[in-house]
Amino acid sequence: MSDTFYVTTPIYYVNAEPHLGHAYTTIVADVAARFHRLIGEEVRFQTGTDEHGDKIAQAAEDQGVKPKAYADKISGMFKELWPKLNIVPDNFIRTTDAEHIQVVQAILQKVYDAGDIYLDTYGGNYCVGCERFLTDKELVDGKCPEHDSEPVFIEEENYFFKMGKYQEALTEHIKANPEFIRPERYKNEVLAMLAGDDLEDLCISRPKSRLTWGIELPFDSDYVTYVWFDALINYLTGLVWPDGENYQTFWPAAQHLIAKDILKPHAIFWPTMLMAANIPLYQHLNVHGYWSVDQAKMSKSLGNVVRPLELAEVYGVEAFRYFVMREMSFGLDSSFSEELLVERYNSDLANDLGNLFSRVLNMLHKFCGGVVPQPDKLLPEDADLVQLTRAVAAEYVRENRGFAFHKALAAVWSLIGAGNKYVVANEPWSLAKEPELAGRLNQVMYRLCQLLAQVTVLIWPVMPQTAEHMAGVLGLGGVTPSIMPAVLEGGELLAPGTATHQPPALFPRIDTAKVKAKADKAEKKAQGKKPQKKKQGKKKPPSGPAEQITIEEFARLELKVGNVLEAEPIEGADKLLKLTVDAGEDQPRTVVAGVAEHYAPEELVGKQVVIVANLKPVKLRGVKSQGMVLAAVGDEQVIVVSPSAPTTPGSKVR
Ligand code: ME8
């Protein structure tokens, strides 16, 4: 069994502010790091930011600032957020760090010298969102499925990494190490990717004529390296590869943590790069699913990106950490909502944990002077509880080691449930009335104190502040690795005679009616934006203050000018028209517009309109709409927005 543990999160792009998805991965890494520390291992936890490449250069340009200045700002936001979520990384790496640049160049040179990098001409479909060329197989309806956007065809001379050479070796490694990629569904996905045609070689450079914001190739100063080649190496830089002490200690115990969106770069590019550089592979790639918010994909245009993090402030960081760790089955997708958060808070934290804690301590103060009593004879039901404690601790360790944190928490909550049942079954308040049952009362209260102490230790990785607070109240001192052997044995954590404090309310119940009223109000407000019943006379269009957005949020909208080539009614839909719009792309788009009550189809044909081009396609009355037409919406009038003079279709609107 390894006694070291190195966990990494992806390094996040600095083209967007941190959101729930980033917070989740980094909380998981923090929990994993704390858990491994608790079981006595030497741990290193690294996160950071990915700062080179097209995307970042573009985002900086949109803001009119230099890429580095832009990266400094957003990277700072990530770095500052983590302590607020009780996340304590050992290292925060930035790909613009001088040490990182050096390591990337050293590895490139090594692979080049070994003959695994060559120059060639290549034409392919490049997705800016993914920062890579996509294969034909990966495209869905000619688009990148991840970003729902058409890739750009690019042809140029570039350097290639002989990834295909390692296809067989990687396949064998994955088969021989079934836990290399976990959970299993992702391992199968990767094996399926590898089972098909020959693995293509990987284009690993960008000519400086197209992109300067990157690390220069050590063997050709006309090129910078591909952002993934740059980014993945961060996992080694942070350990000071090749000679650092941390590299020697931690690389053999490396475990990466990612979401499913970046499976291919981590499961295929990275191990083959390591093979080529003659560096041992990582131990495990742990892959989690995707969060949606209120059942919808997280997107800035829906305004649901920042909100979940605000809820961490409203309901407390610890409850937030607990919720995301318990709610998401590691590996599967999950939906986040305030209602679900409050539900779990009330049932798991206020009712189960909070109640048991205050109930037991109140009784201890009432019946035993607040001091852990000397236990009397152990009855079978007490032994059962001890047995359960042991079983739960073992399950907890097993599941946490396997990154099944939700199962580990479920196990702890089964112990809390058993504690509450034990209280009901043994009725300490009845025992306290009979002086001759004092011995039994002591045994029952002693057991309950041990159980609370067990729970305190086990919840520490997820809710460290709460656990430390509980430990203080119980007289347990801190939660340290030295306590784990006793926890695993279901042994004595609180010696008889230990003085406890009066219990505080750990998690005061949340009034769900209030939360519901707030949600209803927000929904009404959102609905209120739609024009209500038509009123007499012309009224000014509604102009209440809208929520402010940042320039980055606005920059995510792709607004384009398009020529309406055709317009026709949609059967059974009085308000909709189906437009065929030339927006300067390979093919015209179909856009459904809700303007049929205001325009005859022929009025629109030949007109220039402004469309939201990167809106996720939706089906309206059976017609797939690829965008939205902008219009000025007054109380009674709807006027389609058009440039004041004709312009080239495809022109951006900013
Ligand atoms: O891909 N649900 O950076 P990135 C869950 N720089 N997790 C989510 C999520 C969601 N809806 N959205 C994002 C990059 N994440 C590269 C990585 S690593 C060498 C380079 C989390 O900013 C999740 O961890 O797009 C996902 O893998 C990561 O953010 C992607 O972050």
Side-chain angles (χ1 to χ4, degrees):
M1 208 186 286
S2 155
D3 56 0
T4 52
F5 178 70
Y6 175 42
V7 65
T8 66
T9 72
I11 45 171
Y12 305 113
Y13 284 130
V14 291
N15 65 338
E17 292 175 22
H19 60 60
L20 171 65
H22 308 124
Y24 172 71
T25 314
T26 321
I27 289 173
V28 172
D30 184 73
V31 169
R34 287 175 187 271
F35 162 74
H36 281 264
R37 285 202 168 99
L38 190 59
I39 59 172
E41 295 180 2
E42 200 182 340
V43 171
R44 188 165 173 90
F45 159 24
Q46 175 171 296
T47 185
T49 43
D50 189 358
E51 307 186 5
H52 292 123
D54 289 336
K55 259 204 258 208
I56 316 300
Q58 186 61 51
E61 192 187 316
D62 292 346
Q63 286 216 352
V65 291
K66 288 250 159 33
K68 180 63 167 61
Y70 177 76
D72 285 347
K73 186 178 124 200
I74 310 277
S75 178
M77 292 171 96
F78 278 95
K79 200 170 182 176
E80 277 164 29
L81 175 64
W82 302 143
K84 290 185 192 153
L85 294 173
N86 290 345
I87 294 169
V88 192
D90 298 296
N91 194 25
F92 187 98
I93 192 160
R94 300 181 57 183
T95 52
T96 47
D97 291 342
E99 309 83 72
H100 176 69
I101 294 169
Q102 242 176 16
V103 173
V104 170
Q105 289 182 329
I107 290 182
L108 277 166
Q109 190 67 54
K110 194 171 177 204
V111 178
Y112 183 75
D113 291 345
D116 276 351
I117 291 176
Y118 61 93
L119 188 67
D120 200 3
T121 303
Y122 181 79
N125 288 311
Y126 187 76
C127 171
V128 176
C130 293
E131 303 251 19
R132 64 184 178 92
F133 285 100
L134 301 182
T135 60
D136 290 346
K137 262 208 297 200
E138 285 177 294
L139 300 180
V140 177
D141 295 336
K143 289 185 173 181
C144 163
E146 187 67 38
H147 296 93
D148 197 33
S149 61
E150 282 181 21
V152 196
F153 188 83
I154 293 181
E155 189 174 63
E156 60 196 13
E157 208 171 41
N158 263 316
Y159 284 91
F160 288 80
F161 161 54
K162 288 187 187 166
M163 191 158 76
K165 181 175 156 188
Y166 298 96
Q167 179 166 9
E168 215 179 296
L170 177 59
T171 309
E172 271 168 23
H173 183 84
I174 297 173
K175 286 187 178 159
N177 298 277
E179 295 250 298
F180 182 60
I181 300 166
R182 57 191 186 184
E184 201 183 359
R185 55 197 346 242
Y186 296 109
K187 176 192 85 174
N188 295 338
E189 216 173 282
V190 173
L191 282 176
M193 289 182 213
L194 289 168
D197 312 333
D198 286 348
L199 192 59
E200 285 178 28
D201 287 348
L202 184 66
C203 175
I204 58 149
S205 66
R206 300 289 174 261
K208 277 196 187 163
S209 53
R210 183 153 72 78
L211 176 78
T212 51
W213 183 235
I215 298 177
E216 193 177 287
L217 294 187
F219 42 83
D220 190 339
S221 59
D222 287 340
Y223 288 87
V224 294
T225 193
Y226 166 51
V227 68
W228 274 106
F229 211 98
D230 165 350
L232 289 160
I233 289 175
N234 91 83
Y235 301 134
L236 292 172
T237 312
L239 297 179
V240 195
W241 175 86
D243 301 319
E245 201 180 306
N246 279 335
Y247 174 70
Q248 309 300 333
T249 309
F250 291 110
W251 186 247
Q255 297 210 24
H256 302 309
L257 174 63
I258 58 165
K260 60 183 185 178
D261 56 336
I262 49 177
L263 179 63
K264 189 172 179 182
H266 281 82
I268 297 184
F269 301 177
W270 184 221
T272 53
M273 281 164 65
L274 289 167
M275 285 175 178
N278 204 14
I279 298 171
L281 305 194
Y282 55 78
Q283 289 298 299
H284 298 288
L285 179 63
N286 304 287
V287 189
H288 65 75
Y290 243 44
W291 281 100
S292 55
V293 175
D294 298 324
Q295 309 288 343
K297 191 173 169 173
M298 259 195 275
S299 99
K300 280 201 174 167
S301 50
L302 290 175
N304 61 5
V305 176
V306 178
R307 180 90 185 117
L309 290 184
E310 286 172 357
L311 292 180
E313 277 172 40
V314 177
Y315 298 109
V317 169
E318 301 265 298
F320 182 80
R321 286 171 62 108
Y322 172 76
F323 173 74
V324 293
M325 294 303 296
R326 179 68 188 85
E327 187 66 20
M328 183 172 257
S329 297
F330 192 89
L332 301 179
D333 293 345
S334 230
S335 181
F336 184 101
S337 78
E338 184 169 2
E339 274 89 346
L340 279 175
L341 170 63
V342 170
E343 230 174 73
R344 271 219 184 270
Y345 176 106
N346 277 343
S347 74
D348 299 7
L349 299 179
N351 271 7
D352 297 343
L353 174 62
N355 252 354
L356 181 68
F357 190 68
S358 59
R359 201 177 185 189
V360 169
L361 278 155
N362 279 328
M363 289 191 293
L364 194 71
H365 280 267
K366 215 161 155 191
F367 310 139
C368 311
V371 172
V372 177
Q374 182 70 46
D376 200 37
K377 216 171 88 206
L378 195 78
L379 297 189
E381 63 219 76
D382 312 324
D384 285 350
L385 196 63
V386 176
Q387 174 51 34
L388 179 74
T389 311
R390 235 182 266 137
V392 162
E395 190 179 345
Y396 168 90
V397 170
R398 196 174 56 248
E399 300 296 5
N400 273 337
R401 273 190 186 282
F403 272 65
F405 305 98
H406 58 291
K407 289 190 186 162
L409 283 173
V412 177
W413 257 254
S414 73
L415 186 59
I416 294 172
N420 273 319
K421 277 197 195 129
Y422 182 84
V423 171
V424 173
N426 288 288
E427 298 186 8
W429 50 91
S430 306
L431 299 176
K433 284 187 196 143
E434 313 288 339
E436 69 277 16
L437 296 177
R440 180 69 199 137
L441 174 69
N442 285 348
Q443 170 67 256
V444 168
M445 292 312 299
Y446 174 85
R447 282 288 139 233
L448 286 167
C449 288
Q450 304 309 329
L451 189 146
L452 282 184
Q454 287 270 351
V455 168
T456 301
V457 176
L458 299 183
I459 65 168
W460 181 79
V462 175
M463 295 190 283
Q465 269 177 354
T466 305
E468 271 150 25
H469 188 52
M470 286 166 67
V473 172
L474 287 170
L476 185 63
V479 179
T480 57
S482 60
I483 209 167
M484 263 327 261
V487 170
L488 290 169
E489 276 165 27
E492 184 176 271
L493 305 182
L494 292 169
T498 305
T500 66
H501 297 280
Q502 288 287 346
L506 286 181
F507 295 100
R509 261 191 90 76
I510 294 166
D511 185 343
T512 43
K514 272 194 194 152
V515 175
K516 173 107 183 39
K518 203 169 87 184
D520 287 350
K521 206 169 141 194
E523 200 175 314
K524 273 206 192 106
K525 200 171 146 200
Q527 283 170 354
K529 286 185 191 143
K530 290 187 200 146
Q532 305 274 308
K533 269 191 200 158
K534 284 198 176 169
K535 299 212 178 91
Q536 291 295 315
K538 271 198 173 179
K539 275 190 82 185
K540 270 192 170 176
S543 60
E547 191 193 338
Q548 293 194 327
I549 60 165
T550 62
I551 187 91
E552 297 97 287
E553 284 169 317
F554 176 73
R556 292 197 55 190
L557 280 180
E558 193 190 11
L559 303 176
K560 277 188 183 177
V561 173
N563 289 343
V564 179
L565 305 177
E566 288 166 19
E568 56 181 281
I570 296 176
E571 217 187 318
D574 295 341
K575 295 186 177 150
L576 304 179
L577 287 183
K578 176 181 163 192
L579 310 182
T580 307
V581 179
D582 168 16
E585 297 153 332
D586 291 347
Q587 284 185 345
R589 298 170 172 241
T590 299
V591 180
V592 174
V595 295
E597 289 176 319
H598 306 274
Y599 287 90
E602 55 275 20
E603 278 180 273
L604 288 174
V605 176
K607 214 176 167 52
Q608 286 208 313
V609 290
V610 175
I611 62 164
V612 183
N614 61 341
L615 199 64
K616 205 172 177 237
V618 282
K619 258 204 174 158
L620 297 165
R621 296 294 176 121
V623 180
K624 190 171 173 199
S625 180
Q626 301 162 299
M628 185 177 119
V629 169
L630 294 190
V633 181
D635 262 2
E636 295 188 10
Q637 275 179 314
V638 170
I639 298 169
V640 165
V641 172
S642 195
S644 58
T647 182
T648 327
S651 299
K652 293 235 163 88
V653 178
R654 290 198 171 127

